[in-house]
Amino acid sequence: MTITIVGHGYVGLVSACVFADFGNKVWVIGHSPEKLQRLKNGDPIIYEPGLAEMLKKNLKAGRLIFTESYDEAVKESSVVFITVGTPPKKDGSADLIAVFHVAQNIAKNLGDKFTVVSCKSTVPVGTNLDVEKILNKNKSKKATIAVASCPEFLREGSAISDTVTPDRVVIGSNDKKAIEILLELHSTFPGKRVVTNLPSAELIKYASNSMLAVKISFANLISFYCEQTGADVEMVLDAVGMDKRIGRVFMYPGIGYGGSCFPKDVQALTDTGKNLAIDVSMLEAVEKINHHARKLFVDKVLKHVGGKTIAIWGLAFKPDTDDIRFAPSVYIIERLLKEGFSVKAYDAAAMSNVRKIISDPKLTLVDEPYLALAGADALLVLTEWNEFKELNVQNVKKLLNSPMLFDGRNMYDPEKMKTDGFTYFGIGRN
Ligand code: UDX
């Protein structure tokens, strides 16, 4: 099949590479000539394991074409996916300007045949019907269209395998022919098929992300109880998770969730609920607990650290990505700097992104984890990159002014840390 993907962020570029890898011809439309040139050269721009190889392979095979122009791409395509960003506005609602702008451009370039236009961007319920109105208003009489919602569930860091082997393929449309075409396009993908109407598909994405955020905030809430009562959160949640109805997956406490999806999607679902006069206090509590988790972590540091120099390992909102959007590390560093600390930090991928938003000279970024430790009064581990799992205990103790470790992801065994001579602070484990 020939398809077009508008946007080349995480969802757009990974989807494009995977569809091309499965033998489809994929046009990718962007608006930055500089970024398009890098993509044409095989540079994926974003950090995602395995993506560069897949991009180069499919460029070479001629199945991936990057362009600024809608004309040829849209005319040739049976399906056009919209994957542009839907960032949160100040009030938490999703900003749909880019989606609607792209819909206009698609409409003006449709050929005479039937085309499915499908939002892969996460959009509030009802957005696809607005897209349909824009398409119908701006298209030529000869062009026929149907809209569909085809949400994507990939995670950063494992985006390719998530896309190649999805748990489910959700296709929402009120048009039978559109559903048939999308089922055919996805025929090579494993996973269950969920064929449904438009609003259900739109809501599935928000409900999924919000449910995951609920699990994380619940784990963090229980950790708050553990901190005050002497209970061990990992043992509590292990036992809770042994109940098959609950499970342990995605119930790991820490310094809260970040990234481009959970914070924005919980806020957008809250906003939609408010507009529908639904009581959204549960979603508001999820967000509140998420912020409280990182605040409590810094409070603990301020209470226990004597000196004014802090070492940090891990800045990305999760391992295997350079993404720092809504990352707990940003809040933590900014608060420490405000409190008069100097911070020396290391991350395998995200340092240049942090420097773009924190220019304070009291934040030093170092090229190697152990370089951050010399002369620091405590080590804070904020992202569970694999390279931090095995500590060189002697080195850490030798380099730090005092052997104090704040583990924001419960990576280390408290008993072992104690035996190794550390003053150790985990999450909900003291
Ligand atoms: C998420 C969804 O998982 C994915 O399905 C959707 O398409 C996009 O949003 P992503 O944001 O890439 O993916 O990362 P994810 O692995 O879900 O982690 C999100 C955040 O939650 C990270 O900051 C992570 O550290 C945190 N997290 C995750 C926890 O704090 N505890 C957990 O148990 C799991």
Side-chain angles (χ1 to χ4, degrees):
M1 212 178 269
T2 299
I3 66 169
T4 289
I5 295 190
V6 188
H8 46 68
Y10 276 96
V11 172
L13 186 60
V14 173
S15 304
C17 286
V18 170
F19 278 124
D21 212 52
F22 282 176
N24 299 288
K25 177 176 174 186
V26 185
W27 292 88
V28 181
I29 299 178
H31 59 78
S32 155
E34 184 247 324
K35 285 187 180 168
L36 288 169
Q37 192 51 53
R38 282 172 66 187
L39 290 161
K40 284 178 195 170
N41 293 341
D43 169 4
I45 306 171
I46 51 171
Y47 179 97
E48 183 61 37
L51 189 59
E53 294 77 8
M54 205 177 227
L55 172 65
K56 283 184 192 123
K57 178 182 159 198
N58 287 286
L59 277 170
K60 201 172 165 200
R63 290 191 292 262
L64 264 180
I65 307 156
F66 291 93
T67 177
E68 252 183 289
S69 144
Y70 283 71
D71 182 29
E72 203 182 341
V74 171
K75 276 197 183 65
E76 235 191 54
S77 295
S78 308
V79 180
V80 180
F81 286 115
I82 300 175
T83 72
V84 292
T86 53
K89 291 200 265 192
K90 276 206 176 107
D91 62 0
S93 62
D95 188 343
L96 300 170
I97 281 190
V99 171
F100 295 149
H101 176 71
V102 163
Q104 273 185 22
N105 286 340
I106 294 170
K108 287 175 193 155
N109 288 281
L110 286 163
D112 294 346
K113 62 177 178 43
F114 180 72
T115 311
V116 182
V117 179
S118 169
C119 272
K120 263 197 186 293
S121 304
T122 305
V123 290
V125 182
T127 305
N128 277 287
L129 286 180
D130 291 336
V131 166
E132 187 176 42
K133 279 184 206 143
I134 293 171
L135 291 169
N136 281 327
K137 197 174 153 197
N138 292 282
K139 72 178 183 60
S140 71
K141 277 201 181 117
K142 280 183 184 166
T144 49
I145 53 109
V147 291
S149 168
C150 214
E152 175 55 60
F153 301 95
L154 62 81
R155 288 163 298 174
E156 291 179 27
S158 55
I160 291 179
S161 61
D162 286 346
T163 309
V164 172
T165 52
D167 292 331
R168 73 290 208 198
V169 174
V170 176
I171 295 171
S173 181
N174 303 333
D175 186 283
K176 266 192 181 160
K177 201 169 160 194
I179 290 171
E180 273 167 28
I181 291 173
L182 287 169
L183 281 172
E184 192 196 327
L185 178 65
H186 289 88
S187 59
T188 37
F189 291 79
K192 293 191 175 125
R193 302 300 187 254
V194 181
V195 175
T196 181
N197 63 14
L198 266 180
S200 304
E202 290 171 330
L203 200 54
I204 284 168
K205 174 71 189 191
Y206 280 106
S208 301
N209 276 357
S210 298
M211 183 65 217
L212 293 168
V214 165
K215 289 188 90 173
I216 298 167
S217 278
F218 183 77
N220 283 328
L221 177 67
I222 297 301
S223 81
F224 304 157
Y225 284 87
C226 293
E227 300 250 334
Q228 302 224 24
T229 59
D232 182 304
V233 74
E234 296 298 338
M235 288 204 180
V236 172
L237 292 176
D238 276 350
V240 170
M242 283 170 199
D243 185 327
K244 290 192 188 71
R245 293 169 302 174
I246 300 172
R248 182 65 154 99
V249 189
F250 253 78
M251 279 216 306
Y252 290 92
I255 44 179
Y257 58 76
S260 66
C261 292
F262 292 167
K264 145 178 106 64
D265 293 351
V266 170
Q267 277 182 24
L269 192 62
T270 307
D271 178 71
T272 304
K274 280 182 182 164
N275 291 337
L276 297 169
I278 293 167
D279 182 349
V280 290
S281 43
M282 180 180 171
L283 293 172
E284 285 171 338
V286 166
E287 213 194 332
K288 217 167 150 185
I289 292 167
N290 195 50
H291 284 288
H292 193 61
R294 60 193 68 173
K295 181 185 172 296
L296 211 65
F297 185 77
V298 182
D299 290 348
K300 240 189 284 178
V301 174
L302 298 181
K303 187 172 167 195
H304 294 282
V305 177
K308 282 287 181 190
T309 306
I310 294 288
I312 289 183
W313 282 1
L315 300 169
F317 83 97
K318 61 182 258 184
D320 295 319
T321 177
D322 65 352
D323 201 339
I324 55 153
R325 283 176 287 179
F326 296 98
S329 65
V330 175
Y331 164 85
I332 291 169
I333 293 173
E334 281 178 342
R335 209 171 139 208
L336 289 172
L337 293 173
K338 222 175 182 175
E339 294 285 346
F341 283 84
S342 294
V343 177
K344 291 198 278 180
Y346 167 81
D347 186 281
M351 292 200 292
S352 56
N353 284 336
V354 167
R355 186 48 92 203
K356 277 180 209 157
I357 57 168
I358 306 179
S359 54
D360 192 324
K362 285 176 92 181
L363 168 67
T364 314
L365 299 167
V366 296
D367 291 333
E368 204 264 316
Y370 288 82
L371 287 178
L373 305 179
D377 300 295
L379 167 62
L380 277 49
V381 182
L382 306 185
T383 316
E384 65 278 36
W385 284 92
N386 273 339
E387 65 179 312
F388 305 146
K389 282 186 181 153
E390 283 300 327
L391 272 187
N392 184 330
V393 174
Q394 293 317 320
N395 262 359
V396 178
K397 281 170 65 183
K398 199 171 76 191
L399 291 164
L400 284 177
N401 284 344
S402 57
M404 201 176 262
L405 197 150
F406 294 80
D407 179 359
R409 298 290 177 184
N410 281 355
M411 286 182 81
Y412 305 108
D413 175 7
E415 283 306 316
K416 184 167 185 312
M417 295 305 289
K418 204 172 152 188
T419 318
D420 286 341
F422 281 97
T423 307
Y424 172 80
F425 299 87
I427 303 287
R429 296 165 107 188
N430 296 307

